[in-house]
Amino acid sequence: MYRSTYRLAPNLFGISFGTAGLAQLWTLARHTTAVPEWPGVALWITAAVLWALTAAAYFANAASQKRLRSEPAHPTTGPFTALFPIIPMLLGVALAPYAGSAGKVVFVIGLVGTIAVGAWLTGAWIRLEMRLTDWHPGYFLPTVAGGLIAAGCAATFGWVRLSQLMFGYGTVCWFVLGSILLIRLFTQAALPAALLPTIAIEFAPAVVASNAWFTMNGGRADLVATALAGYALLMALVQLALTGTYRKAPFGPPYWSFAFSYAVGFTVTIRWLQAEHVPARTEITYALLGVATLAYGALFARTALGLVRGTFLPRLPPTPEAAIRQPS
């Protein structure tokens, strides 16, 4: 049976996740400024296609290497398996304006999958013997990102009680996991170089929670929104302080940790511009769209180049049989 020389890990779903984040930014901007509809639609379609292609490639690769059962419990890549059901929640909301019932069905399927994966992984983290050094910010994804994204999506559909439920789900998990992850980052050895970009996910909970809250409360700058903005500001400044650290990381799939986190940060900034009626909000929105789109384009181009050169994906170590066949 054919065995790929590459190991496709579930963090590859970060590509479609980041694309969905940029699509969400363009979609919001369309409702706040006079930007055209087509960039957001094109990005949502791209995110859906990338999600489907990634799912097909990942599951085929994992099955051929007999990793399907063991992958979710993997201490490094396991948490990223949650992106598989999380992304359809966002796609369901994007589909709803054009096919309302279908969009709701897609969202509900993604929601059920997100809760199921989050519950299973939480149980696994309790059950398995894990070391604190195994943890990294990707552990936010299954329950924190999943819960808060679900809250915002449910609020978009007008499902008030469900949005409140999932906001509590994601927020409490943020408090619990955030404490563990900061203790790990503060007190333990540095993350392996390849995982350094995942620290960008530390910025995500505050801005994803802010985005959900603005959707839930009708876009008002209230106490909760302001408190979340305070922590988001701290994490944004921390990201600037980590610029030199990020440069130590080799380019690979973990770099896509920047895409969704920063795109949602820009999305929340636009929401604040609207909530505070900033006079230059239109010009600032255009600038944010330009920066976010150019950064995404650079990341996508670097990824495509890495795929062509065979440097983007991690290779499997050679088998003993392959080593024997190597010329001396």
Side-chain angles (χ1 to χ4, degrees), residues 284-322:
I284 297 173
T285 296
Y286 282 127
L288 292 173
L289 286 172
V291 171
T293 304
L294 287 173
Y296 173 87
L299 184 57
F300 196 92
R302 180 77 183 274
T303 299
L305 182 62
L307 287 171
V308 170
R309 292 178 174 176
T311 59
F312 181 69
L313 299 172
R315 289 181 178 271
L316 290 172
T319 62
E321 294 81 3

Side-chain angles (χ1 to χ4, degrees), residues 51 84-86 88-89 102-116:
W51 175 83
F84 175 67
I86 287 174
M89 292 196 294
K104 291 176 181 177
V105 169
V106 172
F107 165 71
V108 169
I109 292 172
L111 173 65
V112 171
T114 297
I115 294 173

Side-chain angles (χ1 to χ4, degrees), residues 9 29 34 39 45 121 127 130 144 156 168 185 213 248 273 309 328:
I45 294 172
L121 287 172
R127 184 179 70 253
M130 297 179 60
V144 180
T156 302
L185 293 174
W213 186 255
K248 301 175 184 177
L273 294 174
R309 292 178 174 176
S328 58

